[in-house]
Amino acid sequence: MGKKYSTPEKSWALYDWANSAYTIVIVTAIMPLYFKSVATEAGISGATSTAYWGYANSIATLIVSILAPILGTIADFKGFKKRFFVFFTALGVVFTLLLAVVPSDQWLILLVFFVLTSVGFAGANVFYDAFLVDVTSEERMNKVSAHGYAIGYIGSTIPFIISIAIIILAQESIIPLSVTVASQIAFVITALWWGTFTIPMLKNVEQKYYVERVPNPVRASFKKLYKTIKNIKMYRPLFLFLLAYFFYIDGVSTIIKMSTAYGSDVGISSSTLLIVLFITQVVAAPFTVIFGKFGTKYGDKKMIMVGIFIYIFICCYAFFLDSALDFWILAMLVGTAQGGIQSLSRSYFAKLVPKESSNEFFGFYSIFGKFAAIAGPVLLGVTAQITGNTSYGVFSLIVLFIIGAIILTRVPNPDEVVLDHGVGK
C-alpha cells in the first residue's frame, strides 16, 4: 500500500474538510441559538420555537430520506452522479449564504432556508460517500475514508473558531457589530469555506463505476429500486450491516446531539461546553486515522466493535457522572471513538456494495443513518422523564449499542461476500 494519497483521493477527502464547518456552525452551535433569539424577538415562546426547530429538522430528514434511494438509483447511470452532487452542494452553499441576508424578524423564511440548506448538505453527502468506490481501491478505503473524517474534524474548527471569536467580540462591544450581524457573518464564512474547498472535488473526482444509460433513466431507476427491495434477501450481507448500523449509529448520533443538553443538566456552563466541543473535535482527528490504520491491520468489523464497546463504557460511565471533570473524561472518550466508528462504517459498507450500484445503496445507507437519529433521542428522553434523571437516559442507550453489536457479528467480512447480481455468498 502506497503511503501517498492520489489527487482524486486528496480531492475527495478535502470535501469532508469543506462541509464539516456546516455541521458545527449551522447544525450544532450558532444557527440554533440564532434562530432561538430571532424567534424570541418575534414573540414566540421558547418551547414553541424549539418545536419549530425540531419540525424543520424532521422535514429536511424526511425529504432526503425519500429522495436518497430514488436519486441514488438514477445516479448509478453514467454521468448522473456528479450532476446530483453539484446540484445538492450548490443548494446547500447558496442557501447557507442566504441565511445571512434574511431580515432578522423573518423567522419563518429563516426556517425554510435552513430546511433547504439541510437538504443540500445531506443530499450531497449521499453522492459524496458513494464516490469513495470511484476514487480509491478496496484495500485503501479504510485509510482514505478515515483521512476524510480526520481532516473534516480539523477543518470544521477553523471557521468555527473565527465565527465564535467574531460573536464574542460583538457581545463584548469590542467590535462595532451587533450579535445578529456577527452571527450572519458566521453563515457567510461557513458558505464560502464549504464552496471554496469543494472545488478540488469538482475538478478531480469522476464517476468510474456506472451503469450504461438507457432511454428512460428515471423509469428504469424505479424498476431497479423496486427489484432491489423485492430481492432484498439476495443482498443479505448489505442489509444485515445496515440493520446493525441503524442501532449503533443511533446511539452515536444521540450522544453527539444530546451532549450539550446533558452537560447543561449536570451544571456545565455554556462557555465550557463550547470549549469541550472544540477539544473533542481536535481529539477525534488523530484517533480517526488510528482507527483507519487498525481497521486495515486487524479488520474493519473488529475495530467497529472496539468503537461500540467504547460507547458502551461511555454509557456506563455517564450513569455515575457528577462533576465537570467526569464530563471532560466522557468527552475525550467520545473523541477517541466518534470519527473512527463513522469512517470505518462508511468504508466497510463501500466494500460490500456492488460498485456500479454504489449510489443506490448509499441512498439506503443515508436513510438508515437518518432514521436512526429518531429512536435514540426518544429513548433517552422518555427514560430521563420517567426516572427524573438524565443519567438514566444516557445509560439506556446501552441497549442500542448491544443490539448493534449482536447483529454486526452476523455480518460477513467483505472478502467473504460475492455480489454477483446481488447474490451474497
Side-chain angles (χ1 to χ4, degrees):
M1 185 191 292
K3 289 186 179 178
K4 289 186 179 178
Y5 293 100
S6 67
T7 300
E9 287 173 344
K10 283 189 284 191
S11 303
W12 179 86
L14 201 59
Y15 184 72
D16 246 320
W17 168 283
N19 78 352
S20 292
Y22 176 91
T23 308
I24 196 165
V25 174
I26 306 298
V27 178
T28 311
I30 296 171
M31 177 63 191
L33 296 172
Y34 177 71
F35 172 73
K36 292 283 285 181
S37 69
V38 167
T40 303
E41 284 291 315
I44 297 166
S45 72
T48 306
S49 64
T50 299
Y52 287 159
W53 185 252
Y55 298 151
N57 277 284
S58 298
I59 290 165
T61 299
L62 190 63
I63 291 169
V64 174
S65 297
I66 292 166
L67 289 179
I70 298 166
L71 294 182
T73 311
I74 298 170
D76 283 326
F77 289 107
K78 187 177 181 180
F80 280 102
K81 188 189 277 195
K82 189 83 164 274
R83 288 183 198 175
F84 283 139
F85 172 77
V86 171
F87 172 78
F88 281 101
T89 302
L91 181 71
V93 171
V94 168
F95 279 95
T96 300
L97 198 60
L98 290 177
L99 288 173
V101 298
V102 176
S104 58
D105 59 343
Q106 298 294 324
W107 64 268
L108 186 57
I109 295 174
L110 195 68
L111 213 53
V112 170
F113 282 13
F114 168 72
V115 169
L116 290 168
T117 69
S118 298
V119 170
F121 173 79
N125 273 349
V126 173
F127 304 104
Y128 166 63
D129 287 343
F131 263 118
L132 180 59
V133 304
D134 299 295
V135 298
T136 192
S137 64
E138 204 164 287
E139 297 75 38
R140 289 176 62 87
M141 279 183 186
N142 287 352
K143 184 179 180 180
V144 176
S145 180
H147 180 59
Y149 266 102
I151 67 170
Y153 282 121
I154 299 164
S156 67
T157 60
I158 298 167
F160 179 57
I161 291 168
I162 295 167
S163 300
I164 288 293
I166 293 169
I167 289 167
I168 291 170
L169 291 171
Q171 278 176 336
E172 301 296 321
S173 301
I174 296 169
I175 55 175
L177 294 174
S178 66
V179 176
T180 298
V181 172
S183 299
Q184 290 170 336
I185 289 170
F187 304 150
V188 173
I189 290 167
T190 304
L192 293 178
W193 183 275
W194 184 2
T196 302
F197 290 106
T198 301
I199 293 169
M201 171 94 178
L202 300 179
K203 281 177 67 180
N204 303 316
V205 174
E206 296 297 336
Q207 184 176 3
K208 193 174 169 185
Y209 298 99
Y210 50 80
V211 176
E212 287 294 342
R213 283 204 202 181
V214 292
N216 193 332
V218 176
R219 203 167 103 192
S221 297
F222 274 102
K223 280 185 179 176
K224 186 166 175 268
L225 188 61
Y226 172 73
K227 190 178 173 186
T228 300
I229 295 167
K230 189 181 171 187
N231 300 323
I232 204 163
K233 284 183 181 175
M234 297 168 71
Y235 298 93
R236 188 173 177 274
L238 282 164
F239 283 98
L240 206 54
F241 172 79
L242 285 176
L243 194 59
Y245 175 73
F246 176 87
F247 283 101
Y248 71 72
I249 212 67
D250 190 2
V252 172
S253 63
T254 303
I255 286 172
I256 293 168
K257 284 182 176 178
M258 304 302 287
S259 58
T260 49
Y262 182 50
S264 298
D265 286 349
V266 295
I268 313 294
S269 70
S270 56
S271 56
T272 303
L273 284 172
L274 284 174
I275 294 166
V276 172
L277 187 66
F278 168 68
I279 298 296
T280 304
Q281 300 285 104
V282 174
V283 170
F287 274 96
T288 302
V289 175
I290 291 166
F291 259 77
K293 285 183 177 177
F294 282 179
T296 302
K297 190 172 181 180
Y298 301 111
D300 308 17
K301 194 161 78 173
K302 283 182 185 173
M303 287 310 297
I304 292 172
M305 282 291 193
V306 169
I308 290 172
F309 283 118
I310 291 172
Y311 271 102
I312 288 172
F313 179 77
I314 287 166
C315 293
C316 296
Y317 191 95
F319 185 70
F320 301 102
L321 186 144
D322 65 355
S323 69
L325 176 62
D326 286 335
F327 191 78
W328 271 99
I329 293 168
L330 266 185
M332 296 308 100
L333 282 169
V334 168
T336 62
Q338 179 179 299
I341 202 168
Q342 290 176 307
S343 71
L344 282 178
S345 295
R346 177 168 67 185
S347 55
Y348 192 77
F349 188 68
K351 291 172 189 176
L352 287 170
V353 301
K355 289 183 172 59
E356 68 283 352
S357 300
S358 62
N359 296 285
E360 178 186 1
F361 284 101
F362 269 102
F364 285 111
Y365 183 80
S366 174
I367 284 183
F368 276 74
K370 292 278 178 293
F371 278 106
I374 297 167
V378 171
L379 176 63
L380 188 151
V382 169
T383 309
Q385 223 172 356
I386 291 168
T387 61
N389 189 329
T390 314
S391 294
Y392 281 97
V394 178
F395 183 70
S396 70
L397 298 176
I398 201 168
V399 175
L400 300 173
F401 292 111
I402 291 169
I403 294 171
I406 290 168
I407 298 170
L408 189 63
T409 59
R410 302 182 66 82
V411 180
N413 291 316
D415 56 1
E416 297 168 358
V417 176
V418 175
L419 284 167
D420 182 13
H421 302 292
V423 182
K425 188 176 174 183

